[in-house]
Amino acid sequence: MSLHEKIWFQGSPLMWLLWPFSLIFGLVSALRRQLYFRNILPSFRSRIPVVVVGNIMVGGNGKTPVVIALAEYLASRGFRPGVVSRGYRAHPPVYPYEVIPDSPVGEAGDEPLLIRLKTGVRVVIDPRRSRAVGYLENALDVIITDDGLQHYALGRDIEIVVVDGKRRFGNGRLLPMGPLREPASRLAEADYVLNNGGEKEGEYPVRLVPDKVRRLDGMEAVLPEGTEVCALAGIGDPERFRRTLQDAGFRVSRSIPVPDHGFVTEAEVRRIAGGLPVIMTEKDMVKYGRNHIEGFYSLGVRADLPSEFYDRLTADISRIQKERGIR
C-alpha cells in the first residue's frame, strides 16, 4: 500500500499537511460545478437518454463490470445502447475514435476495448465526452458513459454512482487529503447508488461473480482448485482481485505490482512468477494481444445486480425516451 493510500484509508496525522490543498481543490470543484449549473459554462444535452456510471472516489470500485452488465442487459431488452469513455491512456489517431474488436489496446485503451469485446455494443472514446455522444446519438437510443460523473460539460439524465462497499470513502476527505473527488453528500443527488461488496440501506447491492478461468485467447482452461498461482491486476484495487482468486479456490503466493492501467512485459511477469501460472484480470488480458501465451490465464468477473434495479432503470429510460418521442 502506497503512502497516500495509508493516509487515506488507515489514517495518519500527515494528512493535515495536505489540508490547504484539499480546501483549494474543494473550492475550485464547487465553483466549476456551479458555473455549469448556471449555464455560464456550456453543457451539451443529447437528444437520447444519457446514463452516467461513475464514482466520487479515486481508484477501482467495480465500475467497468457494471457498465458491461448495463450494456448487455439493455441490449437484451431491445434497447440500442452505446458506451462512451474518456479513453484513459489511450492514444488514438483521431477523436472521436470508435473502438472495434481489432483495435490496438494502445489506441483504444484497456477498459474501452474490454467493454467492446464483452458487450458487442458500439464504444467511442473522446476526452470531450459530449463529442463522442454526438457521434453516436443518431444511431442509438441510449448512451452509457463509463465514468464522467464530474464531467459536467455533458448533460445527463440518469446518474449511477458505484461505491466500494468495503473501503467506502476512506477518511472522507477531498483530494489530496483524502480519496474523494466530491464530498460524500454528493450521493444524495444521484439517481442510483450501487454498493459493491457491502450493504447499506438505500443502496443497491452489487456482487462481482467470478467467471471461468480462460487462456488469453478465450479458450476455457483447466486449473484445479488449490493450484498455487501468481496474481496480476493492473486495477485500482488489486487486493480485491487477490481475494477473488482466493474465493475461487486458488492459493495466491505471489502478486505482481502493476499501477492501474499499467503494463508489465511478458519477460518480467515470468521472472516474478517464478514458474507459477499467472492469472490476470480481463482488463490486463487485452494488453497481451488476446493470443494464447503458455502459463498466462485470465479470470473475468460479472456484475450481479438485483432485478429491482434493472426494472426501475429500464422504466426510467423508457419514460425519458417517450417524453422525447424516441420510442
Side-chain angles (χ1 to χ4, degrees), residues 180-214:
L180 296 186
R181 300 169 174 175
E182 293 184 286
S185 58
R186 176 72 170 83
L187 293 187
E189 301 174 20
D191 299 283
Y192 301 83
V193 179
L194 305 183
N195 188 318
N196 178 14
E199 294 185 7
K200 187 174 177 60
E201 186 176 355
E203 300 177 358
Y204 291 98
V206 182
R207 288 192 313 120
L208 297 184
V209 181
D211 198 352
K212 296 177 180 178
V213 175
R214 300 184 182 277

Side-chain angles (χ1 to χ4, degrees), residues 70-302:
L70 294 184
E72 290 178 331
Y73 182 85
L74 291 174
S76 73
R77 292 300 183 271
F79 292 92
R80 289 178 290 124
V83 175
V84 302
S85 171
R86 171 190 172 190
Y88 181 66
R89 290 197 178 181
H91 301 284
V94 65
Y95 288 115
Y97 177 86
E98 181 159 4
V99 180
I100 60 174
D102 293 332
S103 290
V105 68
E107 290 186 1
D110 49 16
E111 288 178 348
L113 181 56
L114 178 61
I115 294 169
R116 178 65 177 83
L117 292 171
K118 295 281 284 187
T119 67
V121 306
R122 296 181 68 178
V123 178
V124 172
I125 62 173
D126 196 320
R128 288 172 52 189
R129 290 178 178 86
S130 58
R131 188 165 55 187
V133 171
Y135 178 88
L136 283 174
E137 65 177 351
N138 291 328
L140 305 174
D141 60 12
V142 58
I143 286 180
I144 305 165
T145 76
D146 179 24
D147 210 353
L149 187 67
Q150 291 78 34
H151 188 76
Y152 293 112
L154 175 63
R156 68 284 310 268
D157 300 285
I158 297 172
E159 289 185 337
I160 300 174
V161 177
V162 184
V163 172
D164 186 321
K166 296 190 181 299
R167 296 190 299 172
R168 291 299 289 185
F169 310 122
N171 61 17
R173 303 286 182 169
L174 292 173
L175 288 166
M177 187 179 182
L180 296 186
R181 300 169 174 175
E182 293 184 286
S185 58
R186 176 72 170 83
L187 293 187
E189 301 174 20
D191 299 283
Y192 301 83
V193 179
L194 305 183
N195 188 318
N196 178 14
E199 294 185 7
K200 187 174 177 60
E201 186 176 355
E203 300 177 358
Y204 291 98
V206 182
R207 288 192 313 120
L208 297 184
V209 181
D211 198 352
K212 296 177 180 178
V213 175
R214 300 184 182 277
R215 305 188 324 182
L216 301 196
D217 60 3
M219 298 291 292
E220 188 173 341
V222 179
L223 285 179
E225 187 173 334
T227 298
E228 186 179 4
V229 301
C230 176
L232 190 160
I235 57 178
D237 183 11
E239 185 59 32
R240 176 186 285 123
F241 184 64
R242 183 186 181 94
R243 292 194 301 266
T244 299
L245 288 176
Q246 291 171 335
D247 292 344
F250 296 104
R251 292 189 298 124
V252 183
S253 60
R254 298 193 182 194
S255 296
I256 299 177
V258 188
D260 192 13
H261 301 278
F263 176 75
V264 179
T265 66
E266 179 183 341
E268 183 67 4
V269 170
R270 292 195 185 280
R271 185 189 68 79
I272 298 174
L276 294 177
V278 177
I279 305 182
M280 63 186 70
T281 71
E282 287 185 310
K283 191 169 88 169
D284 291 289
M285 174 269 294
V286 300
K287 302 168 191 171
Y288 291 89
R290 305 186 298 284
N291 295 316
H292 175 56
I293 300 176
E294 188 64 36
F296 282 34
Y297 305 91
S298 71
L299 178 67
V301 295
R302 61 177 176 82

Side-chain angles (χ1 to χ4, degrees), residues 18-45:
L18 301 172
W19 177 78
F21 303 100
S22 288
L23 179 63
I24 295 171
F25 177 86
L27 291 172
V28 172
S29 297
L31 174 62
R32 176 177 170 274
R33 191 168 182 232
Q34 285 301 312
L35 291 175
Y36 278 110
F37 283 3
R38 297 176 184 274
N39 296 319
I40 297 173
L41 290 178
S43 179
F44 174 79
R45 174 70 65 175

